[in-house]
Amino acid sequence: MNLLRMYKRFVIIYIKSKLEYHGALLLELFANTILIGVYFAGFLILFHNFKGIGGWTEYEVLFMFTTSWTSYSVSCFFFWSPMKDIGEMIRNGSFDMYMTRPIGPMTYLVLQQFQYTFLPRIVLSIIFWTISMQKVTIVWNLRNIIFYVVSMLCSFVIFSSITIITGSISFWTIKSEEIVSLLTDNNYGLKNFTDYPIQIYSKEIQLLLTFVVPYAFTAYYPVAILLGKNIGNNILGYLSPAIALLFACLACLMWKKGLKHYGSSGA
């Protein structure tokens, strides 16, 4: 409860600072809404010309697409900006401030920012997710509901863990913005490959998305199980909790090792 009250105060302070330039805030929200709207429009145009892809129908892909995007957007809401900016904070010495606060550096990094620019992503993802869910053939019994909810939570953990791991590299390399963008940016990063069924890619890409950077477990494998798709080995569809736990542990380890390795710039 104390963290929630603290986060509320940080949000109020953050929004008040942004409202000093309310025109820019509204323009930024509008621009992000248009950007994400164009992305979804491109998706719909694609399926206007191709009724299916890799054995998946338009609404099946949209369901998988929005499942991934929703958990990804919520993850970015908390972790994208802190991990993207941490390299700059280490370079200029401002990260020292986070090391001297009475709460953990990660907690403070997350609480002090409010990434409202991801709100359009979350809202539009939920809208299209609702539309697609009504069009796909899934029996929503208790077992499938629990399986899907757990898969969504695991997806959030996997996205967040990979973002934290890439951001933690800054403690050794000082600059990791490009690595964070390469692996986690939805516009041109590796995350972009998960918007469609991975069987349309080469075997090398499939192996990369399954065993190296396991984005396939954030939506593709769980949704394929729900839809009754043939994914070769159905056990992969049930491994999301194990993958989430593994990468959460790796992220925690990387972050703690990074904090121990951190040396002030002397600023």
Side-chain angles (χ1 to χ4, degrees), residues 9 22 40 60 68 70 73 77-78 105 108 114 116 123 132 137 142 144 165 227 247 251 255 257 265-266:
R9 289 184 176 275
H22 58 274
F40 277 103
E60 287 174 342
S68 174
T70 301
S73 299
F77 189 82
F78 294 105
Y108 190 36
F114 180 73
Y116 57 89
V123 172
S132 66
T137 305
L142 182 61
N144 285 343
I165 289 170
L227 293 172
F247 272 76
W255 179 256
K257 289 285 187 181
S265 67

Side-chain angles (χ1 to χ4, degrees), residues 161-174:
S161 298
I162 293 174
T163 303
I164 292 170
I165 289 170
T166 53
S168 298
I169 294 173
S170 293
F171 288 113
W172 290 272
T173 64
I174 306 301

